[in-house]
Amino acid sequence: GLNTNGQLGQSNISTFSSPIQLPGTTWCKVVSGDNFLLALKTDCTLWSWGENAAGQLGVSDKVHRSSPVQIPGTCWCDINAGSDAALAIKTDNTLWAWGNNVLGQLGQSDVAHRSSPVQIPGTTWCRACTLETVSMAIKTDNTLWAWGNNNTGQLGLNDKVHRSSPVQVPGTNWYNFYP
């Protein structure tokens, strides 16, 4: 497919019309945002490549990468990519975010973009997702938390106020539907 920002991870920007293997053999999960990808290896290291205009690759710069580059740290266990931001959970149940933060979707109580992972407060996160400018996560007690864009009430908080830090969505038995 299209590879204008190196999102196919082949160390080039050539377009491919048939499947190609990503270098390496120990990948266990891959997610994609808009023109960038994150991949988790079986050794709990996290890698990214592709477009990086908002710092969504998590490697402390805004340089596009056409081959996988390791995001600092180890012990990553879950990943999710939005359009140009990312969330990841470590094995100690801490939640981390980086990339575009135009509406507070990184959960840092501000709207500053981040080009390296920053921790979202708390240590009991088990699942997280981000899409466009909205982020949500479930804690180990099955409570659901939301933050970011809320112009149409998509955070489920009975209002239309944007949030730049996690706010609990009413209810306590949110089902953790991921394996």
Side-chain angles (χ1 to χ4, degrees):
L2 189 63
N3 193 30
T4 55
N5 295 297
Q7 61 265 38
L8 298 182
Q10 299 299 309
S11 299
N12 61 49
I13 56 170
S14 300
T15 299
F16 293 87
S17 61
S18 59
I20 50 173
Q21 183 177 352
L22 186 65
T25 58
T26 58
W27 306 105
C28 62
K29 183 174 184 178
V30 177
V31 297
S32 81
D34 288 350
N35 298 314
F36 80 102
L37 286 96
L38 299 174
L40 191 59
K41 284 191 170 188
T42 55
D43 65 0
C44 298
T45 57
L46 182 54
W47 299 75
S48 61
W49 60 94
E51 184 178 336
N52 197 26
Q56 62 265 45
L57 297 186
V59 292
S60 301
D61 64 30
K62 293 185 179 179
V63 176
H64 301 328
R65 299 293 199 302
S66 62
S67 58
V69 59
Q70 186 177 352
I71 294 173
T74 57
C75 300
W76 300 100
C77 65
D78 193 35
I79 54 176
N80 190 273
S83 59
D84 52 6
L87 294 176
I89 297 176
K90 289 189 172 190
T91 55
D92 64 0
N93 294 94
T94 55
L95 178 58
W96 298 76
W98 59 93
N100 186 342
N101 194 32
V102 69
L103 290 168
Q105 64 267 35
L106 300 184
Q108 298 300 305
S109 299
D110 63 29
V111 291
H113 304 319
R114 303 297 199 294
S115 62
S116 59
V118 289
Q119 186 178 348
I120 294 174
T123 58
T124 58
W125 303 100
C126 63
R127 293 289 175 211
C129 72
T130 184
L131 179 64
E132 297 296 326
T133 54
V134 175
S135 296
M136 293 186 167
I138 296 174
K139 288 190 172 189
T140 54
D141 64 0
N142 291 326
T143 56
L144 177 64
W145 297 73
W147 58 98
N149 184 9
N150 196 32
N151 65 329
T152 60
Q154 60 266 50
L155 298 183
L157 300 169
N158 202 29
D159 62 32
K160 294 182 180 179
V161 177
H162 302 315
R163 303 298 200 295
S164 61
S165 59
V167 176
Q168 186 177 351
V169 176
T172 56
N173 291 313
W174 293 95
Y175 179 65
N176 182 354
F177 56 89
Y178 291 98

